[in-house]
Amino acid sequence: MADFGISAGQFVAVVWDKSSQAEALKDLVDKLQALTGSEGRVSVENINQLLQSAHKESSFDVILSGIIPGSTTLHTAEILAEMARILRPGGCLFLKEPIETAVVNNSKVKTASKLCSALTLSGLVEVKELQRESLSPKEIQSVQEHLDYHSDSLLSVQITGKKPNFEVGSSSQLKLSTAKKFSPSVKPAMDPAAAKLWTLSANDMEDESMDLIDSDELLDPEDLKKPDPASLRAPACGEGKNCSTCGLAEELEKEKSREQMSSQPKSACGNCYLGDAFRCASCPYLGMPAFKPGEQVLLSNSNLNDA
C-alpha cells in the first residue's frame, strides 16, 4: 500500500467492477481506512455507476481502479475523463488493466501505448507504466468470462497519471508591466535645433548668407543640345534595317516627312490649291485648275506677264 503514497487525511476512491472479488475488495478498503485515518475518507464506487454518481470536481486525492487482485477492469475514454475530473489538482490515478501485446485489429483490449495515450487525452500528465506482469490463471479465466475475450498474448499492466496543479477552466491574472509605453497618438518631442535646421521660411530665401543652388547651373551646355537621331541607333542596327523594337525607324520616318513638308511650295493665303473661287485677284494661279497641296506648278511666261 505504501507504493500508492496514501497518507492520513486524504480522500481516496476505490473503483471496482463485477470481476472484483468481494473479500479482496473489503480487505483493500480496510487497509486504506487505516492509512487515511479519521480525518480522511475512503469511497467505494462501481465503475458502471461512476458517471451517474455526480461527484463534485476535485473530490479525491487518490483514485485506485482495477487494483483489487483478480480484477480485469477495462477503462473507457469517458471513465478516464470522469476520473480526471473528480481528482484534485496534483492528485494521482493508479489503475490496473489487461493489455494486448500483439497487434489485433478492432480489439476491445488496448495495447500499453494506447492505454497511456488514453490517460493523456483525459487530461492527466506524467503518465507512466509502473509494472507489467503475466496474468494469473484466475485472471485469464476472468477475462474470458467477463470480457468474452480469448488471446494468448495478454499481460497485466499498472499505470499511473497525475492531474495538473490547476483545475480545468481555471484562470489566472497575468502580471503585465505597468511601465508607460509609446502611444501612436502621442508624437515624440522634437529637438528645437533639428526643427530649425530643416525649416526654410521666406525670410531665409532673401538672406544673403543662405547658399542656394541654381538648378540651371547643374546642366552643361551639352545637356541642352538635341541629340542626333543617328546617334540613337543601337550598335546592332545596320543600314537598311527597319527594326520595330526600339522605335528609331518611326522617328526617322517622321523626320523625313517633316522635311518634305517644309520643302513643298506654299502660298501666302494657303488657298490657291482649292481653285479660282478661293484665289486672290492677283494670284498667278488664276485660270488654272485646282491642284493637290504640295504639288509643284510650273507657270509659263505668258501667265507671269499677264499677272
Side-chain angles (χ1 to χ4, degrees):
M1 298 305 300
D3 294 340
F4 298 137
I6 298 175
S7 58
Q10 288 186 326
F11 286 64
V12 181
V14 179
V15 181
W16 60 280
D17 69 347
K18 59 183 179 180
S19 65
S20 304
Q21 299 179 4
E23 295 182 359
L25 175 60
K26 183 178 181 304
D27 183 60
L28 175 61
V29 171
D30 292 341
K31 292 180 179 180
L32 292 175
Q33 289 177 341
L35 292 174
T36 56
S38 58
E39 297 180 357
R41 187 182 66 187
V42 178
S43 300
V44 180
E45 194 70 60
N46 186 287
I47 193 171
N48 296 322
Q49 301 297 324
L50 183 62
L51 297 177
Q52 288 77 30
S53 298
H55 290 287
K56 295 182 179 180
E57 61 183 18
S58 304
S59 298
F60 300 99
D61 299 292
V62 179
I63 296 178
L64 306 178
S65 181
I67 301 299
I68 303 171
S71 298
T72 56
T73 305
L74 296 182
H75 301 83
T76 63
E78 293 78 9
I79 292 296
L80 293 176
E82 178 65 13
M83 291 180 178
R85 186 187 70 84
I86 62 178
L87 266 177
R88 290 177 179 175
C92 293
L93 167 65
F94 295 90
L95 63 81
K96 187 177 180 182
E97 182 173 325
I99 61 170
E100 180 67 73
T101 57
V103 179
V104 181
N105 295 329
N106 301 323
S107 173
K108 66 172 65 176
V109 178
K110 297 183 285 290
T111 61
S113 61
K114 289 185 177 181
L115 182 57
C116 291
S117 298
L119 266 73
T120 302
L121 292 175
S122 68
L124 300 181
V125 296
E126 300 181 20
V127 177
K128 58 183 177 180
E129 182 178 327
L130 298 178
Q131 186 178 359
R132 182 181 297 198
E133 58 186 6
S134 301
L135 270 68
S136 64
K138 290 185 178 181
E139 290 174 337
I140 295 176
Q141 183 179 359
S142 178
V143 169
Q144 295 175 354
E145 292 179 358
H146 299 287
L147 303 180
D148 192 20
Y149 188 81
H150 300 267
S151 176
D152 296 331
S153 55
L154 292 177
L155 291 178
S156 178
V157 65
Q158 185 174 324
I159 298 178
T160 183
K162 184 178 180 181
K163 186 172 182 177
N165 291 321
F166 56 85
E167 192 57 74
V168 176
S170 60
S171 61
S172 176
Q173 185 177 3
L174 298 178
K175 296 181 180 180
L176 301 177
S177 175
T178 58
K180 186 177 181 180
K181 296 183 178 180
F182 172 75
S183 176
S185 60
V186 180
K187 296 183 178 180
M190 183 177 293
D191 185 4
K196 184 178 180 181
L197 179 64
W198 293 102
T199 303
L200 191 64
S201 64
N203 295 331
D204 294 331
M205 300 293 291
E206 299 178 357
D207 190 355
E208 296 181 354
S209 63
M210 296 293 296
D211 187 12
L212 300 178
I213 300 177
D214 187 358
S215 59
D216 293 336
E217 296 180 357
L218 301 176
L219 298 176
D220 296 331
E222 296 294 331
D223 297 330
L224 302 177
K225 293 182 179 180
K226 184 178 180 180
D228 184 6
S231 66
L232 302 177
R233 189 188 303 274
C237 293
E239 293 297 335
K241 291 186 178 181
N242 186 16
C243 180
S244 61
T245 58
C246 65
L248 180 59
E250 289 79 0
E251 289 295 330
L252 296 177
E253 185 67 26
K254 291 179 181 179
E255 185 68 24
K256 185 177 180 181
S257 299
R258 286 193 294 268
E259 292 177 358
Q260 291 178 352
M261 291 296 294
S262 62
S263 63
Q264 292 176 355
K266 298 179 181 179
S267 64
C269 64
N271 296 325
C272 298
Y273 74 98
L274 296 176
D276 287 344
F278 298 92
R279 290 170 181 163
C280 301
S282 61
C283 182
Y285 298 141
L286 283 173
M288 298 184 65
F291 52 88
K292 297 179 180 179
E295 180 182 359
Q296 187 174 4
V297 181
L298 299 176
L299 300 176
S300 63
N301 292 332
S302 61
N303 291 337
L304 293 174
N305 292 332
D306 292 341

